Amino acid sequence: MDSGATLEELEQRPDYDVQLESLNQWQLAWRRFKRHRMALLGSALFLFMVVVGLIGPFIIPYDDTKIGLPDAKFNAGRPPSIAHLFGDTGRLHRDVLTLVVNGTRLSLLIGVLASAISAIVGTFVGGIAGYFGGWLDTILMRIVDALLSLPLLFVILAFSQFLGEGHASWPTMVLIFGMFGWLGIARLVRAVMLSLREEDYVDAARAAGVSDVRIIFRHLVPNSLSPIIVATTLGVAGVIIGEAFVSFLGFGVDPATPTLGNILSGALEFISQGNWWWAFFPGAAIVLIVLGINFMGDGLRDALDPRAKV
Amino acid sequence: MTDGAAAAGPAAPTAPAAGPRPGSADERNGEALVEVRDLKTYYPIKAGILRRTVGQVRAVDGVDFEVRRGEVFGLVGESGCGKTTLGRTIVRLEKATSGQVLLDGGDVLSFDGRDLKKMRRRMQVIFQDPVGSLNPRMPISDIIGEGLLAQADKQNGWGERKVRDKRVSDYLEVVGLRRDYTRRYPHEFSGGQRQRIGIARALALSPEFIFADEPVSALDVSIQSQILNLLIDLREQFDLTFLFVAHNLSVVQYISDRVGVMYLGKLVEMADVAELYAHPRHPYTIALLSAIPDPDPRVKSRRLVLTGDVPSPANPPSGCRFHTRCWLRRQLNNPENCETEDPPFRELASGHRVACHWAESVVDAAVADVVPTADIEVPTELPTPQDVGAPVVTEIETPSVTDVVEPAEEAAGTAGEARPEEPQGPTQGRV
């Protein structure tokens, strides 16, 4: 301390108020993310699909529940035209663009909500197991092991049949996917917690008398957030594909409410009659969303790695 | 400390912000602040699906000593000898298996809830790793302020952000950093600066006792002395008491008042620093001190090199734990009690305690040959070997090479062979 100067004097010194700009870990991560070209492309793709899903229904002139007049000549559906850019469906003549836009919104909603539930439950279970350890850890992790050894797709089909009698509402689908999606996250969070709780800064906090709750929320959770974010992001793509698969098999959301999966399911019947557009456009939407999310997830993984260069 | 900032905060431990302390620290210097009684820390070894305990690692296995108020107690020993575990057990970062730790007479190991929290404020830790000990996602204000917030009460007012921030800045200044570094993050600092932040974090709680766990061993040599000098200054300024763990013998010699030597979970020798470095009596201490390199390259030092590896703390040797590697035992023709009796940690001279049955047979003249810090003059208070009827070692048998430069561990393999021209007979024990 330089002698002779009182605190008041020190505060008067010109350099004292200069606040040096300093970036925290999240700002550094954002800087790295911005330099990741594929991640930016993926994010743009994903955001585009989100925007399509959110504002598309207000722009498109058709109602997704509107059914066209039956037309024997075009029983397999009309091909893309100016009036119907993506064509329309067989038999009921619903506008495919309207279906895709609404389906995108619902599929994204199911994906995001189910992943969010997975992330919350998985973080909670994995966090408790990893931080407290001992018999609690053993019991929780054996439950996770047991659930992971079930063939999940069939369990989901069975649950869908049981909860929605074959035609579940979309919140039911969110519940089902959320219920089984947390297993992987729980394992991940437990592993991260096990390594973090040995860190010196956790010991330093304990040595200062900081409570367990505060250590968990101020030290452990923020430091385990990066892998959780990456896993959750990639999980959204997984749920969207899973939901499409379940709906395609006819165990998903009621066809009256379009999701990308059940649109595809209906298209199957007419694809051999030359109706490619009914399957192509929702399929392309799935590919774009999943691709976008995966690129974004890869970018996040790189950006959130603290060892990466700025 | 002459400025106003000091009076307001850090330099005045009796100021309300720092909390009251019973009596003036100076008056009570020399009294035991931390007493450790037969402390044991065992870790279970678990195996099989049922996770049954099949054995125990005896990291700390019955340690007795006290740290006196105002002193720096240095603790040395090889890696894995339990010195860090001992310190961590004392400050309640590891769970003790048995024994007692008394802080000003209060039983630290029995504290919980509010008592434990109060104790935590009085005993702080400085960690070895300047990178791992600071949370990379927290600004410095939170890293140092966190403990203040946890220890906040009506009296110190640390619950208020403004009070806390001012104290954080005060202590940054105390450790030689700028006051306005508070909003920065750990990755913006160098290793030495980070260690200063770690020191500021420990000091901000106005502790009485600090466990410094190899605080300089992860730093650059040029930074080491800066940090050591800082610690010495702070000790004066804040009446601190240190338990200083290190494996660098020169560092310990520089900073300590008293030194304890640990081997396989036990203290084997303890004395004032000058006494220990000049007149070591335990064969292990002599071997350790013999490893100190001489800064003068022209001096051809003879180094005593230990043979074999450190035995496993899960299955320590019978009797004296050091007997498997002991050069003194070999020179004395393997006396039986080394293998059968665990030597008591007895007082050899005032304040000099040794756990060796044959400590009296070591004479300074022999020690001086291999230990660069040894002092050849024999102190009068030490009993002469003849008084206790022990055999005398007049020369310490050193291994094949006369100017060993490798560390002891690396040379261990070849150390057993003796050079033929070296006189063997006279070095054997004589009564």
Side-chain angles (χ1 to χ4, degrees):
Chain A
M1 206 179 283
D2 61 6
S3 51
T6 66
L7 183 59
E8 284 72 27
E9 277 166 23
L10 282 171
E11 279 172 345
Q12 295 307 311
R13 288 190 184 169
D15 72 44
Y16 186 69
D17 275 325
V18 177
Q19 281 309 326
L20 297 153
E21 201 201 338
S22 130
L23 300 173
N24 67 29
Q25 292 278 310
W26 300 113
Q27 289 164 320
L28 286 174
W30 172 234
R31 190 186 273 188
R32 285 192 288 260
F33 189 77
K34 278 193 297 190
R35 291 183 190 169
H36 200 296
R37 207 167 286 167
M38 291 310 270
L40 287 184
L41 185 73
S43 314
L45 215 53
F46 177 70
L47 280 181
F48 173 71
M49 294 310 284
V50 169
V51 170
V52 164
L54 286 181
I55 66 170
F58 299 103
I59 294 173
I60 289 165
Y62 308 105
D63 185 349
D64 67 319
T65 53
K66 185 197 163 212
I67 295 168
L69 291 169
D71 188 337
K73 196 179 157 201
F74 288 104
N75 190 39
R78 278 180 282 255
S81 62
I82 300 296
H84 299 278
L85 286 175
F86 287 3
D88 63 15
T89 71
R91 195 180 298 124
L92 294 178
H93 299 294
R94 298 166 83 185
D95 180 45
V96 174
L97 178 58
T98 309
L99 290 178
V100 168
V101 164
N102 284 290
T104 298
R105 192 194 56 214
L106 204 55
S107 284
L108 280 172
L109 192 67
I110 292 173
V112 169
L113 287 182
S115 297
I117 293 178
S118 300
I120 291 167
V121 176
T123 304
F124 190 70
V125 173
I128 288 178
Y131 184 73
F132 292 105
W135 58 268
L136 201 59
D137 177 33
T138 311
I139 291 174
L140 289 175
M141 283 304 114
R142 290 303 84 77
I143 292 174
V144 169
D145 287 346
L147 287 176
L148 274 176
S149 62
L150 295 173
L152 274 191
L153 220 42
F154 294 102
V155 175
I156 287 173
L157 292 181
F159 258 86
S160 154
Q161 183 69 19
F162 177 71
L163 287 176
E165 285 157 356
H167 293 297
S169 63
W170 67 266
T172 316
M173 294 307 289
V174 168
L175 205 68
I176 291 171
F177 280 97
M179 230 159 41
F180 293 99
W182 60 270
L183 302 168
I185 304 235
R187 274 193 167 175
L188 179 81
V189 173
R190 171 180 174 269
V192 174
M193 286 283 173
L194 281 180
S195 70
L196 285 181
R197 92 181 162 165
E198 303 296 325
E199 292 281 351
D200 276 351
Y201 57 77
V202 174
D203 277 339
R206 282 208 293 146
V210 178
S211 66
D212 274 353
V213 176
R214 223 183 129 78
I215 287 176
I216 292 176
F217 286 104
R218 292 285 287 149
H219 292 278
L220 301 180
V221 170
N223 280 292
S224 54
L225 225 46
S226 319
I228 296 174
I229 289 172
V230 173
T232 306
T233 308
L234 297 175
V236 174
V239 173
I240 288 173
I241 289 187
E243 184 277 328
F245 184 79
V246 173
S247 293
F248 183 75
L249 293 181
F251 288 86
V253 180
D254 192 303
T257 332
T259 69
L260 293 174
N262 67 23
I263 303 170
L264 276 175
S265 170
L268 192 62
E269 193 186 336
F270 290 94
I271 201 156
S272 57
Q273 296 172 38
N275 186 336
W276 55 269
W277 53 90
W278 190 358
F280 175 78
F281 291 107
I286 293 177
V287 170
L288 289 182
I289 293 173
V290 171
L291 214 58
I293 292 174
N294 283 341
F295 283 158
M296 200 164 73
D298 279 349
L300 281 175
R301 196 198 306 273
D302 293 344
L304 292 171
D305 181 356
R307 286 160 301 184
K309 292 239 170 71
V310 180
Chain B
M1 292 308 270
T2 52
D3 53 50
T14 45
R21 258 196 218 166
S24 156
D26 279 30
E27 286 167 25
R28 306 176 63 199
N29 273 358
E31 288 174 29
L33 175 65
V34 175
E35 285 174 79
V36 176
R37 298 276 162 262
D38 197 27
L39 190 65
K40 291 177 182 167
T41 308
Y42 293 172
Y43 297 106
I45 304 169
K46 291 188 172 167
I49 356 169
L50 293 174
R51 316 294 300 148
R52 265 191 317 191
T53 304
V54 294
Q56 283 170 323
V57 174
R58 303 174 176 196
V60 176
D61 198 10
V63 167
D64 275 282
F65 72 108
E66 86 273 333
V67 184
R68 297 173 192 152
R69 195 181 281 276
E71 79 170 351
V72 175
F73 188 91
L75 202 56
V76 289
E78 283 164 291
S79 310
C81 70
K83 48 195 195 306
T84 294
T85 308
L86 172 59
R88 289 175 57 94
T89 308
I90 291 171
V91 299
R92 289 281 300 264
L93 284 176
E94 301 290 335
K95 203 174 171 302
T97 306
S98 69
Q100 269 190 317
V101 176
L102 304 175
L103 173 68
D104 252 347
D107 187 357
V108 169
L109 302 182
S110 71
F111 288 155
D112 57 5
R114 279 178 52 178
D115 291 337
L116 179 62
K117 205 164 172 176
K118 266 191 202 158
M119 171 236 115
R120 294 232 183 260
R121 195 178 143 189
R122 299 176 67 190
M123 300 173 103
Q124 276 294 298
V125 187
I126 297 171
F127 292 89
Q128 174 179 13
D129 177 10
V131 178
S133 61
L134 307 179
N135 187 339
R137 299 208 187 276
M138 278 191 181
I140 304 309
S141 55
D142 284 2
I143 288 175
I144 300 176
E146 182 174 49
L148 297 175
L149 185 62
Q151 298 286 351
D153 57 33
K154 274 195 185 134
Q155 211 179 9
N156 57 35
W158 291 345
E160 258 180 82
R161 177 107 218 169
K162 268 183 95 173
V163 179
R164 219 158 55 227
D165 283 350
K166 183 181 173 302
R167 199 170 165 89
V168 169
S169 292
D170 286 348
Y171 277 90
L172 280 179
E173 214 166 340
V174 163
V175 297
L177 295 172
R178 282 168 59 129
R179 296 184 66 86
D180 55 5
Y181 278 169
T182 50
R183 293 193 193 174
R184 294 201 172 191
Y185 287 83
H187 65 87
E188 298 173 68
F189 294 93
S190 69
Q193 287 176 317
R194 286 177 192 223
Q195 199 58 301
R196 285 173 194 266
I197 294 166
I199 294 169
R201 167 173 61 195
L203 285 181
L205 293 175
S206 319
E208 290 158 72
F209 174 81
I210 290 184
F211 162 45
D213 184 10
E214 310 208 19
V216 297
S217 62
L219 302 175
D220 220 287
V221 181
S222 58
I223 310 294
Q224 286 194 0
S225 57
Q226 288 180 15
I227 298 292
L228 284 178
N229 288 330
L230 174 68
L231 289 175
I232 290 172
D233 290 347
L234 294 172
R235 169 204 179 188
E236 289 290 312
Q237 199 176 332
F238 297 101
D239 299 311
L240 296 170
T241 305
F242 278 97
L243 174 63
F244 191 98
V245 164
H247 54 240
N248 183 330
L249 294 157
S250 309
V251 165
V252 168
Q253 185 182 18
Y254 182 63
I255 201 166
S256 307
D257 298 308
R258 288 194 307 139
V259 178
V261 180
M262 265 184 103
Y263 182 77
L264 266 187
K266 285 200 145 187
L267 273 177
V268 294
E269 186 159 10
M270 181 169 81
D272 286 349
V273 63
E275 167 76 7
L276 189 96
Y277 279 71
H279 312 291
R281 279 297 171 271
H282 196 282
Y284 178 66
T285 312
I286 294 169
L288 270 189
L289 293 177
S290 162
I292 298 178
D294 199 302
D296 185 349
R298 287 163 302 184
V299 174
K300 295 223 166 180
S301 63
R302 295 223 283 160
R303 183 186 285 178
L304 189 65
V305 179
L306 293 179
T307 54
D309 290 326
V310 186
S312 160
N315 186 20
S318 63
C320 172
R321 280 163 192 234
F322 187 56
H323 85 255
T324 53
R325 302 168 77 197
C326 186
W327 54 270
L328 181 63
R329 173 168 167 265
R330 273 199 313 277
Q331 283 190 24
L332 299 173
N333 287 325
N334 302 329
E336 203 193 327
N337 60 354
C338 291
E339 267 177 85
T340 52
E341 269 177 66
D342 193 3
F345 195 38
R346 63 207 168 92
E347 192 141 14
L348 204 62
S350 168
H352 190 159
R353 295 173 78 185
V354 182
C356 176
H357 296 301
W358 302 96
E360 283 84 358
S361 51
V362 178
V363 295
D364 283 309
V367 171
D369 208 27
V370 291
V371 175
T373 56
D375 180 353
I376 320 172
E377 268 178 70
V378 184
T380 45
E381 60 282 13
L382 272 176
T384 55
Q386 283 72 22
D387 293 344
V388 286
V392 187
V393 174
T394 51
E395 192 182 329
I396 290 168
E397 191 184 320
T398 52
S400 53
V401 268
T402 46
D403 47 352
V404 189
V405 282
E406 312 91 320
E409 281 86 353
E410 285 170 34
T414 55
E417 311 149 23
R419 215 157 59 173
E421 58 262 41
E422 222 168 330
Q424 296 275 315
T427 66
Q428 301 299 325
R430 274 189 309 202
V431 184

